[in-house]
Amino acid sequence: MSYQSHYFKEVREAQSKAYAPYSRFKVGAYLRTKDGRTFHGANVENAAYSMAICAERSSLVAAISEGYKPGDFESITVTVDSDKPSSPCGACRQVLKELCDDDMPVYMTNHKGEMIKSTVNELLPLGFSGKDLN
Ligand code: THU
C-alpha cells in the first residue's frame, strides 16, 4: 500500500514519544507490517550520548520483539522537525537492509508534511548483507 495521509498522523504521534533531552531533535518512526500490524518508534537518548537509539531502529526492534521476522514489513515512515524531510542515518540504513525487503518503501517526512519516498535499496546501494557472507 502506498503512502496515505494517516501515516503522517501516526508518525507524528510516534515522534511525540521521543526522549531527546540532549539533542532536542525528536524523531518518529511508523512501521507497518504486511499483515497489518503497526509499530511506533522514537529516538531514545542517554547522558552517555553514543548510547542513543534511533527511531527507525526502535520501531524495528519493537516489531522483532513481538515475533515479526525479516521480510514481514510493508513500509516505514519517518519524521523530523527540519526544513528537509528525515534521512535515516547510516546505522539505520544497515538495519533496514537486514530486516526489510530491498524495495520496501521508506517515506521520509517533516513537520510541514513534506514527503520524499525512497526504498531500502536506494538508501543503501551496494549494501552489505548476509548474502555477502557466503
Ligand atoms: N536520529 C534518529 O532517531 N534517526 C536517524 O536516522 C537520525 C538520528 C536521532 C538520534 C539522536 O537521538 C538524534 O536523532 C540526533 O542525532
Side-chain angles (χ1 to χ4, degrees):
M1 200 183 298
S2 53
Y3 187 77
Q4 297 182 6
S5 59
H6 74 268
Y7 291 17
F8 187 65
K9 184 177 167 288
E10 290 286 342
V11 77
R12 297 299 294 180
E13 190 182 325
Q15 185 202 28
S16 73
K17 294 177 261 192
Y19 175 69
Y22 304 105
S23 73
R24 309 225 172 257
F25 187 75
K26 294 186 169 193
V27 187
Y30 173 59
L31 178 69
R32 295 175 59 87
T33 66
K34 290 175 182 172
D35 69 357
R37 280 279 305 275
T38 62
F39 292 89
H40 284 184
N43 53 333
V44 181
E45 297 187 345
N46 193 287
Y49 296 162
S50 65
M51 302 305 292
I53 300 165
C54 293
E56 296 90 325
R57 278 178 285 160
S58 295
S59 66
L60 286 160
V61 167
I64 295 290
S65 302
E66 287 285 314
Y68 284 92
K69 303 292 179 206
D72 284 346
F73 306 109
E74 180 214 79
S75 68
I76 190 168
T77 305
V78 187
T79 201
V80 294
D81 293 341
S82 291
D83 280 350
K84 190 168 76 68
S86 57
S87 181
C89 77
C92 287
R93 292 174 193 217
Q94 185 66 38
V95 175
L96 286 163
K97 171 90 184 165
E98 180 74 26
L99 301 177
C100 305
D101 298 340
D102 275 351
D103 61 352
M104 189 190 85
V106 179
Y107 302 115
M108 302 176 287
T109 76
N110 66 5
H111 61 297
K112 296 186 270 187
E114 295 167 338
M115 190 275 282
I116 296 172
K117 178 184 183 232
S118 189
T119 64
V120 171
N121 193 48
E122 282 172 0
L123 291 172
L124 195 66
L126 303 176
F128 181 80
S129 75
K131 291 182 197 138
D132 297 303
L133 294 173
N134 298 322

